[in-house]
Amino acid sequence: MDIKDNTPTQEQKETIKKLHNEDIKRTKISFYIVAGVLCIAATFLIRFKAFDFIGGYHKLLGNLLMAGACSFGILIISRFVQSQIAKGTLEKGLIYNLIQFTRLVTFIVIVFIFISFLNANWYTAAVSLGLISLLLGFALQTPIASLIGWFYIVMRGPFKVGDRIQVGSFNGDVVEINFLDTTLWEFAGNLMTSDLPSGRLIRFPNSLIFQNQVYNYSWQKYPLVWNEISFYITFNSDLDWVEKKLREVTLQQLDANTKDHVQDMRDEISDTPVDDIDFEEFPFVNYRIHENNWVEVVLIYIVNPKHSSHMRSKIVKAVIAEMLRSPEKVSFVAEGS
């Protein structure tokens, strides 16, 4: 199974596609303009007492209409900003997050506008808003914590859409980050023993990132992980020949640029206090004595985490085929021993 990196989800594609669609954009902006003009016109009609039948609600209705007119103006600006973001050259996951952030800011501004027009006394409005916030804070602790978690994810960036992560006991590829929750396409889990997708979606509240460690297998600076494969051979095998062949066969299976990433890791380590680790040859081959008097050969290499199962299978097949061609150099442990 081939999984492409940073592939936008269907929801992201639809969101960005709609922002690029000129007909939809013109239709919505036209609706906002017409609605705003109607609100302003209705406000003037109220001032000329054209709606005497509403009695003492003239002022309240006038304020609501003015708030509506300002809100439609904010929606026009927001729509323009979202269109400009969608036209950017950033990766799809970041564009999607910026669009979601713009929509959240738009909603907050519109709520603020309505509160402002409905409360002429700013002190009363502030006290009322404070009391409401206090009550909502107690009643909606988890959703509020999840919203704060969303801000943390967007600003701090522990992961982004397309990354392979582990949060607590959840493992998966990030397919969506909303205001309150994050959706993963699960890999492994209790249905699979490999690193392939299980077919299930995991949705967890964003507040979970404050309670658990977050493991990111797709770190932007170094988007690869180390893998190990163990082979068991006998003591009379030519260990130097085995090591040489393992490296040759593994490099043939890995991507041509994989070896360059070892130097990237050296550079990353040199910029940290942990600068006494040195990687000489690649791939690495270690030997251990097994408890049953076998020699355990451990092959260590780097790979894209989303391709680890596929690459492991390729290397195992290629290594075994190469070893079997030279029985005088290497012998495997007999079956059943």
Side-chain angles (χ1 to χ4, degrees), residues 175-194:
V175 295
E176 185 181 349
I177 304 174
N178 281 327
F179 301 131
L180 299 180
D181 55 43
T182 296
T183 303
L184 304 180
W185 187 21
E186 184 189 48
F187 72 88
N190 56 11
L191 296 180
M192 303 282 292
T193 57
S194 65

Side-chain angles (χ1 to χ4, degrees), residues 244-313:
K244 177 184 176 182
K245 284 299 178 181
L246 278 176
R247 288 200 179 99
E248 290 178 358
V249 173
T250 304
L251 286 175
Q252 290 172 3
Q253 301 303 317
L254 295 175
D255 185 84
N257 297 324
T258 301
K259 194 171 182 178
D260 297 335
H261 289 293
V262 177
Q263 183 60 44
D264 295 337
M265 175 169 278
R266 291 194 185 100
D267 296 338
E268 289 295 332
I269 291 177
S270 65
D271 294 334
T272 68
V274 187
D275 57 358
D276 57 346
I277 300 177
D278 188 25
F279 302 107
E280 297 178 359
E281 296 182 341
F282 175 82
F284 313 122
V285 179
N286 291 336
Y287 293 104
R288 293 196 289 255
I289 301 299
H290 193 267
E291 60 183 4
N292 289 338
N293 293 326
W294 306 330
V295 177
E296 181 181 2
V297 185
V298 183
L299 173 65
I300 307 171
Y301 59 96
I302 53 177
V303 65
N304 185 308
K306 298 180 182 180
H307 302 156
S308 59
S309 293
H310 175 65
M311 185 56 65
R312 185 183 299 114
S313 297

Side-chain angles (χ1 to χ4, degrees), residues 171-173 184-191 196-202:
N171 304 280
D173 300 317
L184 304 180
W185 187 21
E186 184 189 48
F187 72 88
N190 56 11
L191 296 180
L196 296 177
S198 67
R200 301 189 300 187
L201 289 180
I202 301 173

